Amino acid sequence: VDMEKVQLHPTGWVDPADPDSGTKTLAAELMRGVGGLLFNVSGSRFCNEVSTRANVTHNILLHDEVYASTGAWQRGRDIPDIWMVLGQEAGAEAGRHVDLYTHKGLLTEVAGLKGVAKHTGMPEAALKATYRAYAKASKAGVDPYGKTVFRNLPSNLKGGKFYVGKVTPVLHYCMGGLKIDSEGNVMTEGGGAIPGLYAAGEVTGGVHGANRLGGNSLLECTVF
């Protein structure tokens, strides 16, 4: 049941050593929560980084012209290049996450926006303009994408530490699975219980509806 319902997470790290790998390490939402920003190849922001997973993913995929015109992803298309950038202050709060991702080679420390530009190919002038606009929006209390929380703005764009990594949307959770009843019995297509066969957790479907709320999978695994 519900096998067509899947949840995408907007930020899985692209490993520079194996960029085409079908398995990605998740870039935790904490990385955006502490102040990490998302940039396209032009050096511009394009969304509220702390919006819902579905909204951030949608705005990433909008960089593809086919998706932008049809609203559907065409298999075989190249995923848009998106960069996550944390300033020194955000990196300090992220702490062990930054240490782990850097150790894995997924995140790179560079010096200033010049270092960000050199590492990513994004125009330095565009990066400066984006950060200045972001700082201005933080003083106003809202940005063009509806963001109202601005944490850990970088204080030194020229020489401060920045942490940079490429990200891509990844499959995070499948709402579908085996159909069960209230006692955890696995059901047949005809609606009857299969004697002696029980299921709980992510193998089951029909529990969450079209999308899963954060934390619900833990409850799902402990109900029965």
Side-chain angles (χ1 to χ4, degrees):
V1 62
D2 290 345
M3 291 303 291
E4 76 282 6
K5 296 180 174 63
V6 296
Q7 183 184 86
L8 298 180
H9 194 288
T11 54
W13 294 115
V14 177
D15 187 347
D18 190 9
D20 296 324
S21 172
T23 302
K24 308 293 186 190
T25 298
L26 198 71
E29 274 152 333
L30 174 143
M31 300 293 282
R32 288 173 282 130
V34 299
L37 300 183
L38 298 177
F39 292 85
N40 58 29
V41 293
S42 299
S44 300
R45 293 177 59 237
F46 51 88
C47 70
N48 175 357
E49 287 86 358
V50 292
S51 182
T52 64
R53 292 171 178 171
N55 186 55
V56 177
T57 299
H58 172 67
N59 279 279
I60 290 174
L61 297 181
L62 280 174
H63 288 83
D64 176 78
E65 60 182 14
V66 173
Y67 181 88
S69 63
T70 67
W73 184 256
Q74 185 179 98
R75 295 184 65 179
R77 301 280 295 176
D78 291 334
I79 304 294
D81 286 339
I82 301 297
W83 294 94
M84 184 185 295
V85 181
L86 288 81
Q88 185 167 324
E89 293 82 357
E93 184 172 347
R96 289 180 295 176
H97 288 77
V98 168
D99 293 341
L100 174 64
Y101 298 142
T102 302
H103 175 73
K104 286 177 170 288
L106 304 171
L107 202 58
T108 301
E109 179 184 319
V110 299
L113 292 186
K114 185 180 291 295
V116 176
K118 182 178 180 180
H119 182 76
T120 64
M122 293 186 288
E124 183 180 356
L127 289 168
K128 288 181 180 177
T130 298
Y131 270 108
R132 287 169 181 163
Y134 188 71
K136 185 177 180 179
S138 73
K139 293 178 181 179
V142 64
D143 75 356
Y145 310 106
K147 191 173 188 177
T148 58
V149 178
F150 304 85
R151 297 185 61 185
N152 294 314
L153 275 71
S155 58
N156 185 354
L157 298 181
K158 186 176 182 179
K161 293 179 182 178
F162 283 84
Y163 302 92
V164 186
K166 185 179 287 188
V167 294
T168 187
V170 293
L171 177 62
H172 187 49
Y173 195 90
C174 179
M175 274 64 72
L178 298 174
K179 187 175 183 179
I180 59 172
D181 64 14
S182 60
E183 302 298 321
N185 294 289
V186 176
M187 310 298 288
T188 67
E189 290 186 4
I194 300 175
L197 183 60
Y198 301 88
E202 287 193 39
V203 72
T204 65
V207 177
H208 300 292
N211 206 349
R212 176 184 68 91
L213 298 176
N216 278 13
S217 61
L218 298 177
L219 178 62
E220 182 182 32
C221 292
T222 60
V223 167
F224 300 106

